[in-house]
Amino acid sequence: MGVLVRGKSGKAGERRKALGRWLTEHRWPVRSAPRPQAGPRLSARSRLPSWPVLRLPRTRRVQRRLVQGLMAACVLALVPATWMRLEAGDRVGTTAEAPAREVAVVFGAGLWKGRPTPYLAHRLDAAAELYRTGKVKVVLVTGDNSRVEYDEPDAMRTYLTGRGVPDERIVSDYAGFDSWDSCVRAKKIFGVDRAVLVSQGFHIHRAVTLCRSAGIDAYGVGVDEPRDVTWYYGGARELAASGKAALDALLRPDPRFLGPEERGVTEALAAGAR
């Protein structure tokens, strides 16, 4: 009996040893967490530049000069706008105060989905009022048509005809890319000598100054607007635009596109006199 037990225990021991050897041979390898591979080292030239930290100068002398420089820059930015307000003087008022002139010039102010923006619509409303009250006989709409899908003058014409201005009393300038171009073209291309200009209050002084520099006896109607974000943006934009306008008034460059003379204003006035 003891021999059988030893035999069994011997066989069991052999089986355990065999199982141990099998497990050792077929053991799953223990996987350790992969180490992150180091990427290629960036050279000093290929490293991303770090943004410089703005640090104020420590000495009071340098700080004082910095403040003086900023103040001088602000003054220089305000000089052109101040000059234009003085130059326009008492030539700016409301539609009721505007003198009788044959032509009203309306400057473009952008489109939204092919229709005039609210600011441009308000300008056109003022021009329509000038026509209804007999202050003007012809409305010259000047704006941007540099792209086929963007046509300010035709949108302005459509708006005016919807407000009762006859189509034959509206003349379109398709190359009024900025205020100076519009003034020069009104004088040289359309033969306008005297006109009532229509724009917002923050822009009208610049328009009057530029048109007077171009040779037009101009009076400006400043359209009132609520003091919203657009109004403050327009006022801030005028500070930047006044510098270019001052150079235009001084140097008097040719507009981006001049072209041949057009008789649209003359023919519209003649048609109205019949």
Side-chain angles (χ1 to χ4, degrees):
M1 192 71 180
V3 175
L4 293 174
V5 172
R6 284 196 298 270
K8 288 183 179 179
S9 62
K11 291 181 179 180
E14 291 178 0
R15 285 197 295 268
R16 283 196 298 269
K17 291 181 180 178
L19 179 60
R21 287 194 300 268
W22 187 89
L23 291 174
T24 302
E25 294 174 357
H26 298 81
R27 178 187 305 176
W28 292 103
V30 178
R31 295 184 179 180
S32 59
R35 296 182 179 179
Q37 297 182 355
R41 293 185 178 181
L42 299 176
S43 62
R45 292 184 178 180
S46 60
R47 293 175 184 172
L48 294 176
S50 59
W51 293 102
V53 179
L54 181 62
R55 296 178 181 177
L56 295 177
R58 295 182 179 180
T59 62
R60 290 188 176 182
R61 181 179 180 182
V62 178
Q63 291 177 356
R64 185 169 58 253
R65 288 185 177 180
L66 179 61
V67 172
Q68 291 173 349
L70 292 175
M71 292 177 63
C74 292
V75 171
L76 290 176
L78 291 173
V79 166
T82 304
W83 169 69
M84 290 181 186
R85 283 189 170 270
L86 295 175
E87 183 69 16
D90 57 353
R91 292 174 174 266
V92 174
T94 63
T95 53
E97 298 169 341
R101 302 280 171 89
E102 291 183 330
V103 181
V105 179
V106 185
F107 297 85
L111 302 179
W112 175 252
K113 295 183 179 180
R115 298 173 60 86
T117 60
Y119 271 40
L120 180 53
H122 297 164
R123 298 182 186 186
L124 297 169
D125 289 338
E129 182 180 349
L130 290 172
Y131 179 82
R132 286 194 301 267
T133 57
K135 293 289 185 72
V136 300
K137 300 177 181 178
V138 173
V139 180
L140 174 62
V141 292
T142 173
D144 187 355
N145 183 215
S146 58
R147 307 185 304 275
V148 176
E149 67 277 7
Y150 190 85
D151 191 342
E152 278 187 320
D154 278 357
M156 296 162 75
R157 176 187 290 272
T158 302
Y159 188 94
L160 284 174
T161 55
R163 297 303 183 277
V165 182
D167 185 75
E168 62 272 13
R169 300 295 182 88
I170 304 171
V171 180
S172 299
D173 176 12
Y174 296 96
F177 301 125
D178 59 22
S179 299
W180 174 251
D181 286 11
S182 296
C183 291
V184 174
R185 286 178 55 81
K187 173 66 176 180
K188 294 185 176 182
I189 303 302
F190 295 94
V192 176
D193 296 320
R194 304 171 74 240
V196 176
L197 313 181
V198 183
S199 186
Q200 265 70 34
F202 54 74
H203 171 251
I204 195 61
H205 296 87
R206 176 161 62 98
V208 170
T209 301
L210 290 177
C211 281
R212 291 189 66 194
S213 298
I216 299 176
D217 181 7
Y219 184 93
V221 170
V223 180
D224 291 330
E225 297 289 349
R227 300 299 193 264
D228 55 6
V229 175
T230 305
W231 188 90
Y232 284 108
Y233 169 78
R237 181 178 177 273
E238 278 302 304
L239 294 178
S242 60
K244 175 186 178 300
L247 291 177
D248 289 338
L250 178 63
L251 302 177
R252 300 184 181 184
D254 287 334
R256 195 182 316 176
F257 179 79
L258 193 60
E261 294 183 6
E262 298 185 18
R263 295 182 53 81
V265 172
T266 302
E267 293 175 355
L269 290 172
R274 296 172 187 171

